[in-house]
Amino acid sequence: MYDQLTIVAAVANDISASAAKLTALDEWNTVARDALPTHVRIWLGMMFLNNLAALAFVWRRVAARWVFGGFLVSHVLVIGGYWGSGTPILAGQVSLFHIIFWTPGIVALVVKRSEMRPWSAYSVWATLVFVFYAGSMSIDIRDAAVFLTHILSS
């Protein structure tokens, strides 16, 4: 188990370092995402699919509802903000939405952890949520702070 966590931490650290080339005040758009290294785009794609996989559990698991709801709301706000107003969405703004809307899902998974049975589809999915969110939050916390500092000082 310790070896697996070490590998996950190393991968998350590498993803974080590679994604850091996109700063918090850069636009988060197709051009920016396409410029990310391939392994970061794969990480983002796998995280997206894992979030969608919450749909397999939403009918029977409260925590999955929170995870999917946070994922949905954060994406609707980003898409609505970009398409709805034409205002550029900044990477730090996306990070802030992740922190605000993904945290309740993580809390729900911790609170409802007794529902997880070893090696069940649900526990594997929940573990992947933790891995992806930890990797994402390693970037999001810093970028959200930069974004908020920028907004408050403007």
PDB file of all heavy atoms in Angstrom, residues 103-137:
ATOM      1  N   THR A 103     -14.859  20.075  -2.930  1.00  0.00           N
ATOM      2  CA  THR A 103     -14.623  19.751  -1.518  1.00  0.00           C
ATOM      3  C   THR A 103     -15.807  19.046  -0.856  1.00  0.00           C
ATOM      4  O   THR A 103     -15.601  18.073  -0.122  1.00  0.00           O
ATOM      5  CB  THR A 103     -14.197  21.020  -0.752  1.00  0.00           C
ATOM      6  OG1 THR A 103     -12.977  21.514  -1.344  1.00  0.00           O
ATOM      7  CG2 THR A 103     -13.979  20.735   0.715  1.00  0.00           C
ATOM      8  N   PRO A 104     -17.053  19.475  -1.093  1.00  0.00           N
ATOM      9  CA  PRO A 104     -18.165  18.732  -0.471  1.00  0.00           C
ATOM     10  C   PRO A 104     -18.210  17.249  -0.865  1.00  0.00           C
ATOM     11  O   PRO A 104     -18.567  16.406  -0.044  1.00  0.00           O
ATOM     12  CB  PRO A 104     -19.413  19.472  -0.964  1.00  0.00           C
ATOM     13  CG  PRO A 104     -18.931  20.864  -1.239  1.00  0.00           C
ATOM     14  CD  PRO A 104     -17.537  20.684  -1.779  1.00  0.00           C
ATOM     15  N   GLY A 105     -17.813  16.935  -2.092  1.00  0.00           N
ATOM     16  CA  GLY A 105     -17.770  15.532  -2.510  1.00  0.00           C
ATOM     17  C   GLY A 105     -16.730  14.743  -1.740  1.00  0.00           C
ATOM     18  O   GLY A 105     -16.978  13.604  -1.324  1.00  0.00           O
ATOM     19  N   ILE A 106     -15.573  15.347  -1.537  1.00  0.00           N
ATOM     20  CA  ILE A 106     -14.520  14.684  -0.755  1.00  0.00           C
ATOM     21  C   ILE A 106     -14.992  14.476   0.685  1.00  0.00           C
ATOM     22  O   ILE A 106     -14.816  13.401   1.262  1.00  0.00           O
ATOM     23  CB  ILE A 106     -13.218  15.516  -0.781  1.00  0.00           C
ATOM     24  CG1 ILE A 106     -12.611  15.487  -2.178  1.00  0.00           C
ATOM     25  CG2 ILE A 106     -12.216  15.030   0.251  1.00  0.00           C
ATOM     26  CD1 ILE A 106     -12.169  14.127  -2.647  1.00  0.00           C
ATOM     27  N   VAL A 107     -15.606  15.513   1.262  1.00  0.00           N
ATOM     28  CA  VAL A 107     -16.120  15.402   2.632  1.00  0.00           C
ATOM     29  C   VAL A 107     -17.166  14.291   2.704  1.00  0.00           C
ATOM     30  O   VAL A 107     -17.146  13.463   3.630  1.00  0.00           O
ATOM     31  CB  VAL A 107     -16.689  16.750   3.121  1.00  0.00           C
ATOM     32  CG1 VAL A 107     -17.443  16.598   4.428  1.00  0.00           C
ATOM     33  CG2 VAL A 107     -15.580  17.790   3.241  1.00  0.00           C
ATOM     34  N   ALA A 108     -18.062  14.236   1.728  1.00  0.00           N
ATOM     35  CA  ALA A 108     -19.095  13.195   1.722  1.00  0.00           C
ATOM     36  C   ALA A 108     -18.474  11.804   1.618  1.00  0.00           C
ATOM     37  O   ALA A 108     -18.932  10.870   2.281  1.00  0.00           O
ATOM     38  CB  ALA A 108     -20.072  13.429   0.573  1.00  0.00           C
ATOM     39  N   LEU A 109     -17.430  11.649   0.805  1.00  0.00           N
ATOM     40  CA  LEU A 109     -16.762  10.347   0.707  1.00  0.00           C
ATOM     41  C   LEU A 109     -16.133   9.942   2.036  1.00  0.00           C
ATOM     42  O   LEU A 109     -16.197   8.779   2.430  1.00  0.00           O
ATOM     43  CB  LEU A 109     -15.700  10.374  -0.395  1.00  0.00           C
ATOM     44  CG  LEU A 109     -16.225  10.296  -1.821  1.00  0.00           C
ATOM     45  CD1 LEU A 109     -15.119  10.607  -2.817  1.00  0.00           C
ATOM     46  CD2 LEU A 109     -16.841   8.933  -2.107  1.00  0.00           C
ATOM     47  N   VAL A 110     -15.551  10.913   2.738  1.00  0.00           N
ATOM     48  CA  VAL A 110     -14.943  10.605   4.042  1.00  0.00           C
ATOM     49  C   VAL A 110     -16.023  10.242   5.051  1.00  0.00           C
ATOM     50  O   VAL A 110     -15.910   9.242   5.770  1.00  0.00           O
ATOM     51  CB  VAL A 110     -14.085  11.791   4.538  1.00  0.00           C
ATOM     52  CG1 VAL A 110     -13.654  11.592   5.974  1.00  0.00           C
ATOM     53  CG2 VAL A 110     -12.875  11.987   3.635  1.00  0.00           C
ATOM     54  N   VAL A 111     -17.082  11.026   5.086  1.00  0.00           N
ATOM     55  CA  VAL A 111     -18.169  10.783   6.045  1.00  0.00           C
ATOM     56  C   VAL A 111     -18.842   9.433   5.770  1.00  0.00           C
ATOM     57  O   VAL A 111     -19.194   8.708   6.700  1.00  0.00           O
ATOM     58  CB  VAL A 111     -19.199  11.938   5.999  1.00  0.00           C
ATOM     59  CG1 VAL A 111     -20.463  11.591   6.761  1.00  0.00           C
ATOM     60  CG2 VAL A 111     -18.579  13.213   6.540  1.00  0.00           C
ATOM     61  N   LYS A 112     -18.996   9.088   4.508  1.00  0.00           N
ATOM     62  CA  LYS A 112     -19.683   7.849   4.125  1.00  0.00           C
ATOM     63  C   LYS A 112     -18.709   6.710   3.792  1.00  0.00           C
ATOM     64  O   LYS A 112     -19.072   5.757   3.105  1.00  0.00           O
ATOM     65  CB  LYS A 112     -20.579   8.114   2.903  1.00  0.00           C
ATOM     66  CG  LYS A 112     -21.693   9.093   3.152  1.00  0.00           C
ATOM     67  CD  LYS A 112     -22.723   8.468   4.043  1.00  0.00           C
ATOM     68  CE  LYS A 112     -23.988   9.286   4.081  1.00  0.00           C
ATOM     69  NZ  LYS A 112     -25.028   8.628   4.848  1.00  0.00           N
ATOM     70  N   ARG A 113     -17.489   6.796   4.294  1.00  0.00           N
ATOM     71  CA  ARG A 113     -16.491   5.777   3.948  1.00  0.00           C
ATOM     72  C   ARG A 113     -16.892   4.381   4.411  1.00  0.00           C
ATOM     73  O   ARG A 113     -16.403   3.387   3.871  1.00  0.00           O
ATOM     74  CB  ARG A 113     -15.122   6.160   4.482  1.00  0.00           C
ATOM     75  CG  ARG A 113     -14.965   6.149   5.960  1.00  0.00           C
ATOM     76  CD  ARG A 113     -13.600   6.700   6.378  1.00  0.00           C
ATOM     77  NE  ARG A 113     -13.489   6.817   7.813  1.00  0.00           N
ATOM     78  CZ  ARG A 113     -13.938   7.816   8.541  1.00  0.00           C
ATOM     79  NH1 ARG A 113     -14.537   8.824   7.956  1.00  0.00           N
ATOM     80  NH2 ARG A 113     -13.799   7.837   9.851  1.00  0.00           N
ATOM     81  N   SER A 114     -17.789   4.274   5.367  1.00  0.00           N
ATOM     82  CA  SER A 114     -18.232   2.947   5.819  1.00  0.00           C
ATOM     83  C   SER A 114     -18.975   2.194   4.712  1.00  0.00           C
ATOM     84  O   SER A 114     -19.119   0.974   4.778  1.00  0.00           O
ATOM     85  CB  SER A 114     -19.129   3.080   7.053  1.00  0.00           C
ATOM     86  OG  SER A 114     -20.308   3.788   6.723  1.00  0.00           O
ATOM     87  N   GLU A 115     -19.432   2.906   3.674  1.00  0.00           N
ATOM     88  CA  GLU A 115     -20.130   2.262   2.553  1.00  0.00           C
ATOM     89  C   GLU A 115     -19.167   1.563   1.596  1.00  0.00           C
ATOM     90  O   GLU A 115     -19.597   0.848   0.706  1.00  0.00           O
ATOM     91  CB  GLU A 115     -20.945   3.296   1.775  1.00  0.00           C
ATOM     92  CG  GLU A 115     -22.072   3.910   2.567  1.00  0.00           C
ATOM     93  CD  GLU A 115     -22.851   4.924   1.752  1.00  0.00           C
ATOM     94  OE1 GLU A 115     -22.421   5.293   0.637  1.00  0.00           O
ATOM     95  OE2 GLU A 115     -23.910   5.351   2.228  1.00  0.00           O
ATOM     96  N   MET A 116     -17.877   1.806   1.781  1.00  0.00           N
ATOM     97  CA  MET A 116     -16.889   1.242   0.857  1.00  0.00           C
ATOM     98  C   MET A 116     -16.476  -0.155   1.313  1.00  0.00           C
ATOM     99  O   MET A 116     -16.081  -0.339   2.454  1.00  0.00           O
ATOM    100  CB  MET A 116     -15.667   2.153   0.766  1.00  0.00           C
ATOM    101  CG  MET A 116     -15.969   3.470   0.116  1.00  0.00           C
ATOM    102  SD  MET A 116     -14.491   4.471   0.024  1.00  0.00           S
ATOM    103  CE  MET A 116     -15.212   6.091   0.152  1.00  0.00           C
ATOM    104  N   ARG A 117     -16.579  -1.098   0.406  1.00  0.00           N
ATOM    105  CA  ARG A 117     -16.135  -2.462   0.645  1.00  0.00           C
ATOM    106  C   ARG A 117     -14.870  -2.675  -0.183  1.00  0.00           C
ATOM    107  O   ARG A 117     -14.819  -2.245  -1.342  1.00  0.00           O
ATOM    108  CB  ARG A 117     -17.208  -3.475   0.228  1.00  0.00           C
ATOM    109  CG  ARG A 117     -18.541  -3.279   0.931  1.00  0.00           C
ATOM    110  CD  ARG A 117     -18.441  -3.659   2.407  1.00  0.00           C
ATOM    111  NE  ARG A 117     -19.666  -3.314   3.108  1.00  0.00           N
ATOM    112  CZ  ARG A 117     -19.759  -2.376   4.039  1.00  0.00           C
ATOM    113  NH1 ARG A 117     -18.712  -1.673   4.387  1.00  0.00           N
ATOM    114  NH2 ARG A 117     -20.897  -2.122   4.638  1.00  0.00           N
ATOM    115  N   PRO A 118     -13.882  -3.347   0.390  1.00  0.00           N
ATOM    116  CA  PRO A 118     -12.623  -3.535  -0.337  1.00  0.00           C
ATOM    117  C   PRO A 118     -12.836  -4.105  -1.745  1.00  0.00           C
ATOM    118  O   PRO A 118     -13.576  -5.061  -1.923  1.00  0.00           O
ATOM    119  CB  PRO A 118     -11.842  -4.513   0.534  1.00  0.00           C
ATOM    120  CG  PRO A 118     -12.410  -4.320   1.911  1.00  0.00           C
ATOM    121  CD  PRO A 118     -13.870  -3.987   1.701  1.00  0.00           C
ATOM    122  N   TRP A 119     -12.197  -3.472  -2.700  1.00  0.00           N
ATOM    123  CA  TRP A 119     -12.163  -3.872  -4.094  1.00  0.00           C
ATOM    124  C   TRP A 119     -13.522  -3.887  -4.789  1.00  0.00           C
ATOM    125  O   TRP A 119     -13.668  -4.498  -5.838  1.00  0.00           O
ATOM    126  CB  TRP A 119     -11.451  -5.207  -4.264  1.00  0.00           C
ATOM    127  CG  TRP A 119     -10.050  -5.108  -3.784  1.00  0.00           C
ATOM    128  CD1 TRP A 119      -9.537  -5.670  -2.651  1.00  0.00           C
ATOM    129  CD2 TRP A 119      -8.990  -4.360  -4.367  1.00  0.00           C
ATOM    130  NE1 TRP A 119      -8.214  -5.323  -2.491  1.00  0.00           N
ATOM    131  CE2 TRP A 119      -7.856  -4.515  -3.552  1.00  0.00           C
ATOM    132  CE3 TRP A 119      -8.876  -3.564  -5.503  1.00  0.00           C
ATOM    133  CZ2 TRP A 119      -6.636  -3.915  -3.831  1.00  0.00           C
ATOM    134  CZ3 TRP A 119      -7.653  -2.968  -5.780  1.00  0.00           C
ATOM    135  CH2 TRP A 119      -6.559  -3.150  -4.955  1.00  0.00           C
ATOM    136  N   SER A 120     -14.515  -3.233  -4.209  1.00  0.00           N
ATOM    137  CA  SER A 120     -15.784  -3.086  -4.920  1.00  0.00           C
ATOM    138  C   SER A 120     -15.604  -2.003  -5.981  1.00  0.00           C
ATOM    139  O   SER A 120     -14.689  -1.179  -5.903  1.00  0.00           O
ATOM    140  CB  SER A 120     -16.908  -2.700  -3.953  1.00  0.00           C
ATOM    141  OG  SER A 120     -16.694  -1.379  -3.460  1.00  0.00           O
ATOM    142  N   ALA A 121     -16.468  -1.990  -6.965  1.00  0.00           N
ATOM    143  CA  ALA A 121     -16.398  -0.957  -8.002  1.00  0.00           C
ATOM    144  C   ALA A 121     -16.497   0.431  -7.367  1.00  0.00           C
ATOM    145  O   ALA A 121     -15.775   1.359  -7.757  1.00  0.00           O
ATOM    146  CB  ALA A 121     -17.511  -1.163  -9.022  1.00  0.00           C
ATOM    147  N   TYR A 122     -17.359   0.560  -6.380  1.00  0.00           N
ATOM    148  CA  TYR A 122     -17.533   1.848  -5.711  1.00  0.00           C
ATOM    149  C   TYR A 122     -16.269   2.277  -4.980  1.00  0.00           C
ATOM    150  O   TYR A 122     -15.857   3.437  -5.072  1.00  0.00           O
ATOM    151  CB  TYR A 122     -18.715   1.774  -4.737  1.00  0.00           C
ATOM    152  CG  TYR A 122     -18.960   3.065  -3.993  1.00  0.00           C
ATOM    153  CD1 TYR A 122     -19.452   4.180  -4.652  1.00  0.00           C
ATOM    154  CD2 TYR A 122     -18.694   3.168  -2.631  1.00  0.00           C
ATOM    155  CE1 TYR A 122     -19.670   5.381  -3.976  1.00  0.00           C
ATOM    156  CE2 TYR A 122     -18.908   4.345  -1.942  1.00  0.00           C
ATOM    157  CZ  TYR A 122     -19.407   5.454  -2.625  1.00  0.00           C
ATOM    158  OH  TYR A 122     -19.611   6.630  -1.950  1.00  0.00           O
ATOM    159  N   SER A 123     -15.622   1.363  -4.271  1.00  0.00           N
ATOM    160  CA  SER A 123     -14.411   1.749  -3.532  1.00  0.00           C
ATOM    161  C   SER A 123     -13.254   2.075  -4.476  1.00  0.00           C
ATOM    162  O   SER A 123     -12.467   2.978  -4.199  1.00  0.00           O
ATOM    163  CB  SER A 123     -14.004   0.669  -2.526  1.00  0.00           C
ATOM    164  OG  SER A 123     -13.554  -0.492  -3.178  1.00  0.00           O
ATOM    165  N   VAL A 124     -13.164   1.372  -5.597  1.00  0.00           N
ATOM    166  CA  VAL A 124     -12.129   1.696  -6.587  1.00  0.00           C
ATOM    167  C   VAL A 124     -12.398   3.082  -7.163  1.00  0.00           C
ATOM    168  O   VAL A 124     -11.487   3.915  -7.269  1.00  0.00           O
ATOM    169  CB  VAL A 124     -12.064   0.622  -7.701  1.00  0.00           C
ATOM    170  CG1 VAL A 124     -11.184   1.076  -8.855  1.00  0.00           C
ATOM    171  CG2 VAL A 124     -11.589  -0.699  -7.123  1.00  0.00           C
ATOM    172  N   TRP A 125     -13.640   3.350  -7.528  1.00  0.00           N
ATOM    173  CA  TRP A 125     -14.002   4.674  -8.051  1.00  0.00           C
ATOM    174  C   TRP A 125     -13.701   5.757  -7.009  1.00  0.00           C
ATOM    175  O   TRP A 125     -13.096   6.782  -7.339  1.00  0.00           O
ATOM    176  CB  TRP A 125     -15.484   4.702  -8.440  1.00  0.00           C
ATOM    177  CG  TRP A 125     -15.964   6.093  -8.706  1.00  0.00           C
ATOM    178  CD1 TRP A 125     -15.776   6.824  -9.853  1.00  0.00           C
ATOM    179  CD2 TRP A 125     -16.667   6.941  -7.803  1.00  0.00           C
ATOM    180  NE1 TRP A 125     -16.324   8.072  -9.699  1.00  0.00           N
ATOM    181  CE2 TRP A 125     -16.879   8.165  -8.453  1.00  0.00           C
ATOM    182  CE3 TRP A 125     -17.146   6.784  -6.501  1.00  0.00           C
ATOM    183  CZ2 TRP A 125     -17.547   9.226  -7.852  1.00  0.00           C
ATOM    184  CZ3 TRP A 125     -17.804   7.837  -5.908  1.00  0.00           C
ATOM    185  CH2 TRP A 125     -18.004   9.045  -6.580  1.00  0.00           C
ATOM    186  N   ALA A 126     -14.106   5.555  -5.761  1.00  0.00           N
ATOM    187  CA  ALA A 126     -13.884   6.554  -4.709  1.00  0.00           C
ATOM    188  C   ALA A 126     -12.393   6.796  -4.484  1.00  0.00           C
ATOM    189  O   ALA A 126     -11.965   7.946  -4.299  1.00  0.00           O
ATOM    190  CB  ALA A 126     -14.552   6.108  -3.406  1.00  0.00           C
ATOM    191  N   THR A 127     -11.601   5.740  -4.525  1.00  0.00           N
ATOM    192  CA  THR A 127     -10.152   5.892  -4.377  1.00  0.00           C
ATOM    193  C   THR A 127      -9.592   6.738  -5.517  1.00  0.00           C
ATOM    194  O   THR A 127      -8.753   7.623  -5.298  1.00  0.00           O
ATOM    195  CB  THR A 127      -9.467   4.513  -4.334  1.00  0.00           C
ATOM    196  OG1 THR A 127      -9.999   3.782  -3.222  1.00  0.00           O
ATOM    197  CG2 THR A 127      -7.962   4.645  -4.212  1.00  0.00           C
ATOM    198  N   LEU A 128     -10.061   6.485  -6.719  1.00  0.00           N
ATOM    199  CA  LEU A 128      -9.609   7.291  -7.862  1.00  0.00           C
ATOM    200  C   LEU A 128     -10.036   8.746  -7.725  1.00  0.00           C
ATOM    201  O   LEU A 128      -9.291   9.653  -8.110  1.00  0.00           O
ATOM    202  CB  LEU A 128     -10.115   6.692  -9.171  1.00  0.00           C
ATOM    203  CG  LEU A 128      -9.437   5.391  -9.588  1.00  0.00           C
ATOM    204  CD1 LEU A 128     -10.134   4.774 -10.798  1.00  0.00           C
ATOM    205  CD2 LEU A 128      -7.965   5.622  -9.867  1.00  0.00           C
ATOM    206  N   VAL A 129     -11.218   8.992  -7.164  1.00  0.00           N
ATOM    207  CA  VAL A 129     -11.637  10.378  -6.904  1.00  0.00           C
ATOM    208  C   VAL A 129     -10.610  11.048  -5.998  1.00  0.00           C
ATOM    209  O   VAL A 129     -10.150  12.164  -6.280  1.00  0.00           O
ATOM    210  CB  VAL A 129     -13.045  10.453  -6.265  1.00  0.00           C
ATOM    211  CG1 VAL A 129     -13.354  11.866  -5.777  1.00  0.00           C
ATOM    212  CG2 VAL A 129     -14.108   9.997  -7.245  1.00  0.00           C
ATOM    213  N   PHE A 130     -10.228  10.377  -4.927  1.00  0.00           N
ATOM    214  CA  PHE A 130      -9.226  10.940  -4.009  1.00  0.00           C
ATOM    215  C   PHE A 130      -7.905  11.209  -4.725  1.00  0.00           C
ATOM    216  O   PHE A 130      -7.293  12.256  -4.538  1.00  0.00           O
ATOM    217  CB  PHE A 130      -8.994  10.018  -2.812  1.00  0.00           C
ATOM    218  CG  PHE A 130     -10.047  10.102  -1.761  1.00  0.00           C
ATOM    219  CD1 PHE A 130     -10.909   9.043  -1.541  1.00  0.00           C
ATOM    220  CD2 PHE A 130     -10.183  11.237  -0.981  1.00  0.00           C
ATOM    221  CE1 PHE A 130     -11.892   9.114  -0.568  1.00  0.00           C
ATOM    222  CE2 PHE A 130     -11.153  11.322  -0.006  1.00  0.00           C
ATOM    223  CZ  PHE A 130     -12.018  10.265   0.204  1.00  0.00           C
ATOM    224  N   VAL A 131      -7.453  10.270  -5.542  1.00  0.00           N
ATOM    225  CA  VAL A 131      -6.179  10.429  -6.256  1.00  0.00           C
ATOM    226  C   VAL A 131      -6.261  11.624  -7.207  1.00  0.00           C
ATOM    227  O   VAL A 131      -5.385  12.498  -7.197  1.00  0.00           O
ATOM    228  CB  VAL A 131      -5.822   9.141  -7.024  1.00  0.00           C
ATOM    229  CG1 VAL A 131      -4.662   9.377  -7.991  1.00  0.00           C
ATOM    230  CG2 VAL A 131      -5.494   8.024  -6.048  1.00  0.00           C
ATOM    231  N   PHE A 132      -7.307  11.669  -8.015  1.00  0.00           N
ATOM    232  CA  PHE A 132      -7.434  12.764  -8.977  1.00  0.00           C
ATOM    233  C   PHE A 132      -7.626  14.107  -8.288  1.00  0.00           C
ATOM    234  O   PHE A 132      -7.040  15.112  -8.701  1.00  0.00           O
ATOM    235  CB  PHE A 132      -8.576  12.495  -9.963  1.00  0.00           C
ATOM    236  CG  PHE A 132      -8.252  11.462 -10.991  1.00  0.00           C
ATOM    237  CD1 PHE A 132      -9.043  10.347 -11.150  1.00  0.00           C
ATOM    238  CD2 PHE A 132      -7.145  11.608 -11.819  1.00  0.00           C
ATOM    239  CE1 PHE A 132      -8.747   9.387 -12.108  1.00  0.00           C
ATOM    240  CE2 PHE A 132      -6.837  10.662 -12.783  1.00  0.00           C
ATOM    241  CZ  PHE A 132      -7.643   9.551 -12.923  1.00  0.00           C
ATOM    242  N   TYR A 133      -8.439  14.142  -7.257  1.00  0.00           N
ATOM    243  CA  TYR A 133      -8.676  15.416  -6.579  1.00  0.00           C
ATOM    244  C   TYR A 133      -7.432  15.880  -5.828  1.00  0.00           C
ATOM    245  O   TYR A 133      -7.143  17.071  -5.794  1.00  0.00           O
ATOM    246  CB  TYR A 133      -9.880  15.319  -5.641  1.00  0.00           C
ATOM    247  CG  TYR A 133     -11.218  15.377  -6.360  1.00  0.00           C
ATOM    248  CD1 TYR A 133     -11.330  15.173  -7.725  1.00  0.00           C
ATOM    249  CD2 TYR A 133     -12.381  15.638  -5.659  1.00  0.00           C
ATOM    250  CE1 TYR A 133     -12.556  15.228  -8.367  1.00  0.00           C
ATOM    251  CE2 TYR A 133     -13.612  15.707  -6.296  1.00  0.00           C
ATOM    252  CZ  TYR A 133     -13.698  15.499  -7.651  1.00  0.00           C
ATOM    253  OH  TYR A 133     -14.909  15.570  -8.287  1.00  0.00           O
ATOM    254  N   ALA A 134      -6.677  14.958  -5.243  1.00  0.00           N
ATOM    255  CA  ALA A 134      -5.436  15.348  -4.558  1.00  0.00           C
ATOM    256  C   ALA A 134      -4.438  15.918  -5.567  1.00  0.00           C
ATOM    257  O   ALA A 134      -3.798  16.944  -5.314  1.00  0.00           O
ATOM    258  CB  ALA A 134      -4.832  14.147  -3.833  1.00  0.00           C
ATOM    259  N   GLY A 135      -4.312  15.267  -6.713  1.00  0.00           N
ATOM    260  CA  GLY A 135      -3.425  15.785  -7.752  1.00  0.00           C
ATOM    261  C   GLY A 135      -3.864  17.140  -8.254  1.00  0.00           C
ATOM    262  O   GLY A 135      -3.054  18.060  -8.415  1.00  0.00           O
ATOM    263  N   SER A 136      -5.154  17.291  -8.471  1.00  0.00           N
ATOM    264  CA  SER A 136      -5.689  18.564  -8.946  1.00  0.00           C
ATOM    265  C   SER A 136      -5.543  19.657  -7.895  1.00  0.00           C
ATOM    266  O   SER A 136      -5.118  20.774  -8.199  1.00  0.00           O
ATOM    267  CB  SER A 136      -7.162  18.393  -9.324  1.00  0.00           C
ATOM    268  OG  SER A 136      -7.694  19.604  -9.801  1.00  0.00           O
ATOM    269  N   MET A 137      -5.871  19.315  -6.656  1.00  0.00           N
ATOM    270  CA  MET A 137      -5.802  20.325  -5.586  1.00  0.00           C
ATOM    271  C   MET A 137      -4.371  20.781  -5.312  1.00  0.00           C
ATOM    272  O   MET A 137      -4.170  21.894  -4.828  1.00  0.00           O
ATOM    273  CB  MET A 137      -6.436  19.800  -4.298  1.00  0.00           C
ATOM    274  CG  MET A 137      -7.918  19.586  -4.380  1.00  0.00           C
ATOM    275  SD  MET A 137      -8.844  21.109  -4.541  1.00  0.00           S
ATOM    276  CE  MET A 137     -10.497  20.467  -4.578  1.00  0.00           C
TER     277      MET A 137
END
